Amino acid sequence: MVSAPSLSPATVAKPDLISVEQAKAMDLARMTDLFKAHLNPGQLHFMKLLGFHKIKIERAEGMFYIDQNGRKILDFFGGFGSLAFGHNHPRILEARKKFQEEKRQEIAIAFMSQYAAALAHNIAKCSPGDLDMVFLGSSGSEAMEAAVKLAERAAGPKRPKIVYAENSFHGKTKGVLGITDGQLYRADFKMADNTVRIPFADIEAVERLFRSDPEVGVIVLETIQGGAGIIQAPAEYWQKLRALCDQYGVLWVADEVQCGYGRSGRFYAFEHYGVIPDVTALAKSLGAGKAAVGAMIARREVYMKAYGTPKTAMIHAMATFGGMGEACVTSIEGLNVLYDEGLIDNAAVTGDYLLQRLRALREKYPKIIKDVRGKGFMIGLEFHDFSQTLPMVLRPIVSVLDDKLKGSLSGFVGALLLRDYDVLVAFTEYNRNVIRLEPPLICQREHVDRFVDAFDSLLSRGIVSIVKDFVKSQVR
């Protein structure tokens, strides 16, 4: 009989690791060195252009980031829609703290999880019609991968083609990259060969395709295109789309990762149009700003067709980190807060106030602001091409550079709003002339007024002064 020691002797040397406290105390110079060495040196170039590299965020609360100097930065970026409750909502923190203190289970693989089951129930209750079968994951890309896989399988091998829209964004993972219409992200990867691209919001193009190609089985669309610059289709488009899908037996997947979860003033943006897709997806704020949670939600009939037997049930079952205990508890509490605090209604009402104030600025600065559009707290603010914002005498000279200068004015404005007014905004992937505004759903009129007043003050300097001020910021 040989008895093993209770613990093996320590023979592996500990590497030179950074502790949690050392990470918290890290200065900007060290942060920059590590970002360049281990994360994304190319991205650092753009952070420096915008002045973001000068800021170390120490904490965040409600509508604000607080930096190393105690400066409060108003967050109208909102993590691309992932911060519905703002930063560190007390109810969310308390739910997570209690979960930890009671040492409840995390990984939901071997046993059923009461937390995953409860979250799936809550998502189904928030979803209209028979959207009641839920897959839990960790990101929007994962949720959309699950949605497209399920729809393709339910459509069947005789209808393998998947339709997507121009200027779409559905994620960067390999599967949904094939229906993401961005050359920057596609790069030189080999895409799936069963996809068809059509213009967004062109119902005639949809009808022609459905009529002419019986192999089309799935159409995937963002209800509001985020990366394209906050682009919407009219109600008639969605109603006709639903009718065409029913007529031709095509499954409609609605990507609500960014526009869902109350951001548009309804839980799902498609609810504005009185229609229900066959499959949809949520993420971003589903994790309540403290956890990485994504979900696919499907009509029971569609789900059962794809995975409804013991033989097929495990084809796309939850991954290791799908339905983790604390993440689910965070999401459960988040959904309750969403309704208890009336945040969907607030997105509709205060979002409309934000749109009204921005449209007044468009009237005030018609040579700078081309368009203001959106719904709820998902708003795009589009500038004219750079040459059109300049004095008449300079326009012919600069117009030849408009394509190369696309996005420059958005960058100048974003950088100066942060530097001079302590306001953070976002940008869009495809139309670089657009500033994207997705503040937390807790945003109040006072925050709207502060943002719009700052934006007004900046634009009142005039384009030439804005350019000069930005250039000065780069040489300091």
Side-chain angles (χ1 to χ4, degrees), residues 341-380:
E341 297 191 358
L343 298 184
I344 299 176
D345 291 330
N346 185 60
V349 174
T350 310
D352 187 60
Y353 175 65
L354 174 57
L355 278 167
Q356 289 176 35
R357 289 221 55 195
L358 289 173
R359 284 169 178 154
L361 283 193
R362 183 185 61 187
E363 298 301 315
K364 186 175 181 180
Y365 302 103
K367 294 180 181 178
I368 300 176
I369 301 174
K370 180 180 180 180
D371 193 22
V372 174
R373 55 181 176 265
K375 200 177 285 291
F377 280 140
M378 189 172 182
I379 293 172

Side-chain angles (χ1 to χ4, degrees), residues 259-476:
C259 61
Y261 204 85
R263 181 150 296 278
S264 73
R266 300 292 296 271
F267 187 79
Y268 293 104
F270 59 72
E271 292 183 90
H272 288 283
Y273 311 116
V275 290
I276 302 172
D278 300 292
V279 187
T280 189
L282 294 170
K284 302 292 187 188
S285 288
L286 186 58
K290 300 300 288 185
V293 184
M296 174 212 74
I297 310 96
R299 291 172 50 226
R300 173 169 291 273
E301 177 187 352
V302 176
Y303 183 92
M304 296 303 286
K305 191 173 181 181
Y307 306 131
T309 69
K311 197 172 183 179
T312 59
M314 301 305 291
I315 291 175
H316 199 91
M318 277 196 297
T320 305
F321 298 116
M324 285 185 69
E326 190 172 337
C328 286
V329 164
T330 305
S331 294
I332 290 167
E333 186 68 0
L335 283 168
N336 278 279
V337 171
L338 186 71
Y339 288 95
D340 290 347
E341 297 191 358
L343 298 184
I344 299 176
D345 291 330
N346 185 60
V349 174
T350 310
D352 187 60
Y353 175 65
L354 174 57
L355 278 167
Q356 289 176 35
R357 289 221 55 195
L358 289 173
R359 284 169 178 154
L361 283 193
R362 183 185 61 187
E363 298 301 315
K364 186 175 181 180
Y365 302 103
K367 294 180 181 178
I368 300 176
I369 301 174
K370 180 180 180 180
D371 193 22
V372 174
R373 55 181 176 265
K375 200 177 285 291
F377 280 140
M378 189 172 182
I379 293 172
L381 198 157
E382 184 175 4
F383 295 113
H384 286 287
D385 282 338
F386 196 74
S387 66
Q388 300 305 304
T389 68
L390 297 172
M392 192 67 72
V393 68
L394 296 174
R395 290 184 188 180
I397 304 168
V398 179
S399 63
V400 296
L401 298 173
D402 272 339
D403 193 53
K404 290 185 178 180
L405 290 172
K406 252 192 189 348
S408 56
L409 184 53
S410 297
F412 299 161
V413 168
L416 294 175
L417 278 172
L418 179 62
R419 189 194 74 176
D420 297 344
Y421 299 95
D422 302 335
V423 173
L424 180 66
V425 296
F427 310 98
T428 60
E429 286 89 345
Y430 304 141
N431 186 343
R432 290 169 290 155
N433 282 347
V434 176
I435 281 180
R436 176 170 14 190
L437 305 175
E438 296 185 3
L441 306 192
I442 63 168
C443 180
Q444 301 297 309
R445 288 171 72 104
E446 64 193 78
H447 303 120
V448 169
D449 289 339
R450 175 175 163 181
F451 164 73
V452 177
D453 290 348
F455 188 52
D456 185 9
S457 174
L458 177 57
L459 295 186
S460 71
R461 300 180 190 180
I463 294 300
V464 174
S465 292
I466 287 173
V467 174
K468 287 180 179 178
D469 290 344
F470 177 80
V471 172
K472 286 178 185 176
S473 75
Q474 296 299 300
V475 296
R476 285 177 184 168

Side-chain angles (χ1 to χ4, degrees), residues 171-250:
K172 298 177 187 175
T173 50
K174 191 63 160 53
V176 288
L177 193 60
I179 53 172
T180 290
D181 186 34
Q183 191 52 47
L184 171 67
Y185 303 122
R186 285 176 164 238
D188 54 0
F189 297 110
K190 181 173 174 54
M191 297 294 108
D193 59 5
N194 65 328
T195 60
V196 184
R197 185 179 72 161
I198 60 170
F200 182 69
D202 185 342
I203 200 63
E204 286 78 18
V206 174
E207 187 165 14
R208 283 194 302 271
L209 180 60
F210 285 8
R211 188 189 309 120
S212 64
D213 193 343
E215 290 193 344
V216 169
V218 179
I219 184 166
V220 185
L221 299 166
E222 297 161 271
T223 314
I224 301 174
Q225 287 193 318
I230 318 301
I231 304 299
Q232 301 175 80
E236 306 81 59
Y237 173 84
W238 299 109
Q239 291 155 6
K240 181 68 173 175
L241 175 72
R242 179 69 272 177
L244 287 172
C245 286
D246 293 340
Q247 180 182 346
Y248 289 95
V250 175

Side-chain angles (χ1 to χ4, degrees), residues 91-162:
R91 276 184 57 177
I92 307 296
L93 294 182
E94 184 59 31
R96 289 170 66 84
K97 180 183 176 184
K98 191 172 182 182
F99 183 94
Q100 294 162 13
E101 288 175 345
E102 295 178 359
K103 298 181 180 178
R104 302 183 217 164
Q105 80 276 16
E106 272 289 10
I107 305 296
I109 299 177
F111 307 105
M112 288 188 292
S113 164
Q114 61 269 52
Y115 308 113
L119 176 57
H121 167 272
N122 286 0
I123 292 172
K125 286 294 183 183
C126 294
S127 303
D130 58 349
L131 286 169
D132 60 4
M133 297 299 292
V134 179
F135 168 90
L136 296 174
S138 304
S139 70
S141 289
E142 187 182 359
M144 282 304 298
E145 292 275 3
V148 174
K149 279 182 69 178
L150 179 137
E152 182 178 343
R153 182 168 170 79
K158 292 182 179 179
R159 307 191 68 173
K161 292 188 179 179
I162 300 170

